[in-house]
Amino acid sequence: MKRLSIADVAQRAGVSTTTVSRVINDVSTVSEENRRRVEETIKKLNYHPNPSAQHLAAGKTNTIGLLIPRFEGIFHSYFAMQVIKGIGIAAERSRFDLLLHITDGTTFPAGAIDGVIFMDVYGCEELLDRTIDEKIPSVVLNHYLEDLPVNCVAIDNRLGAQRVVDYLIKLGHKEIATITGDLKTQAGLDRLDGFVNAMKTRKLPLPEGYLRYGDFGLPSARKAVEALLAMKHPPTAIFVASDDMALETINVAMSKGVRVPEELSIVGFDDNPIASQARIPLTTVRQALDEMGRLGFETLLAVVRGKKRMPTKLLLPTELVERQSCRQTWLER
Amino acid sequence: MKRLSIADVAQRAGVSTTTVSRVINDVSTVSEENRRRVEETIKKLNYHPNPSAQHLAAGKTNTIGLLIPRFEGIFHSYFAMQVIKGIGIAAERSRFDLLLHITDGTTFPAGAIDGVIFMDVYGCEELLDRTIDEKIPSVVLNHYLEDLPVNCVAIDNRLGAQRVVDYLIKLGHKEIATITGDLKTQAGLDRLDGFVNAMKTRKLPLPEGYLRYGDFGLPSARKAVEALLAMKHPPTAIFVASDDMALETINVAMSKGVRVPEELSIVGFDDNPIASQARIPLTTVRQALDEMGRLGFETLLAVVRGKKRMPTKLLLPTELVERQSCRQTWLER
DNA sequence: CTGAAAGCGCTAACAA
DNA sequence: TTGTTAGCGCTTTCAG
């Protein structure tokens, strides 16, 4: 039993293969009569076009490459899966295929794809250069690449941090500290930067001790909050650069008899699913990770379809999610 | 500037396209001399074969489909990304492509793939039936499908739970309770089943109140542990069906003045990255999720290559990771 | 060990 | 609106 081809359909429907091809691709004009007959025959025969043949003949693959760099961190975070979800659903809707590669920075599915999405740049620098050189349409997620002629879609971490400061000020806080993320990452850096900037702009004091360096790991957060709590003038609020660390910060504070939010307000960043489920639901900054994936895909699609030429650089807004880990300073304690 | 083809390489190397094809596919016998010349030419020209053409001519795609059902839970867990990693790295090594689909249960990349991996069965029941009907090679992950003629690779949750009981017994515990996961999932069900079975086999008492039903969510864990702690005879140890819930259990216990592990031993399940970073590093059950992905891929590959016919059903062992959330009962408290 | 030539299944000029 | 036909770039018999 041979796999059936477009010729079988054509024969059974009493038309040429061209006509069948036309109804498959929903292209040009086909008489209502013929279209119906072909569609019926396709259904009856349960015919599916051979994608490889389509790609070869059409000179395009209808496939987007998704490159995930092979560094451990990316597999541990809430991040990657959300982004994949956004990309995946967008691709499904556009009837595009997604070719997944967990790359060590060398392999690349050139020829098999019309364009490529970099889930991150770390470890993919060379591949990225190559796509630029060879003019392969591409988009980089999660990194704002100022100077490179590449499309990119990232989160506005700076503005997110700024909003946190404004929110805490609105609640009456003046002594605000921060526990940073890993400053080797753009997210860590920008969240700190946005925080410091906002504090300066708002003319709030920022004693040196109020800046505590973490690395997104729980132990670093514990160390930081312990130091903060041990200060002569401990802060009344802490902006923690990730939800995981923020939750741990609350744990440590409570175990030391410091009540949250009554005596200490905490704000996180990420909006992990767990943040809302915690004993003290965490006030945090929501980033639309799946949106980032979706927009990355759609930006790339526009380029692939020739509807865009200039590099597009998107910075997605965040949203402050008010829950129960913060409190106005003027409420009785 | 046209894309270069196998003919260009053949011409420049002074051989036929057949010979070039032979060295590309590392097949049949080619004289050392010719092989060298062709390889050089390929490198010099930076030639890459057109995958679509290869697939069409060879009648196979060298591509495996990866189907992720589109239900929310799958994107929230630590689970999916680890499995993807395992599959992805294995695929890379075998020089296979991975076609990713976030499916709503209707779309299917038939024709574009040689075989398919189901990351889960929920929501994919019909697609699975279809692959069986059409004899498309497939493998199901994370579900042990007893009765279906399908390859599957899953975690041995029952044995994992049993090991926990044995471990706690070894530490001298006799009053052991459990907080279950969502019993609508196979993991939740099997972990409970393994626990109950072990307790019976070991002739340990299992008062009704020692079985507390959770759903993998934090609130359910809090409710459960509060009830447990309020009992006339609270347990000396609790087996919690997930790390997230176990960590929350510890939080609640400590906030009620119950010391962990001195007064209460806790064991989790999953070995989340966070489990080891917590204030009280969590003793838990490690499941080799990336291994599951890898083995799933390799099982499928064997079928695709015609090296296997019978359905293979694998149940992967777990490993108890001893950390600091448990303690012997005979130590002074 | 090598090459000529016949497809693989589809699309897209071009002609009708 | 429809059909004829020439490829798309590669693999693989088959004969040499």
Side-chain angles (χ1 to χ4, degrees), chain A residues 6 18 21 25 47 49-50 57:
Chain A
I6 199 171
T18 309
S21 172
N25 293 294
Y47 162 76
N50 178 324

Side-chain angles (χ1 to χ4, degrees), chain B residues 22-23 31 46 51 59 271:
Chain B
R22 283 192 181 116
V23 352
S31 70
N46 188 29
D271 196 28

Side-chain angles (χ1 to χ4, degrees), chain A residues 42-68:
Chain A
I42 288 181
K43 196 139 293 168
K44 185 155 39 185
L45 261 39
N46 190 27
Y47 162 76
H48 293 279
N50 178 324
S52 306
Q54 289 181 304
H55 298 166
L56 178 58
K60 54 187 176 185
T61 63
N62 245 266
T63 302
I64 294 293
L66 174 52
L67 255 44
I68 304 185

Side-chain angles (χ1 to χ4, degrees), chain A residues 66-70 74-75 84 100-103 119, chain B residues 81 84:
Chain A
L66 174 52
L67 255 44
I68 304 185
R70 195 185 301 184
I74 208 161
F75 301 109
I84 291 179
L100 182 71
H101 270 257
I102 312 277
T103 183
M119 166 138 318
Chain B
M81 210 51 220
I84 290 179

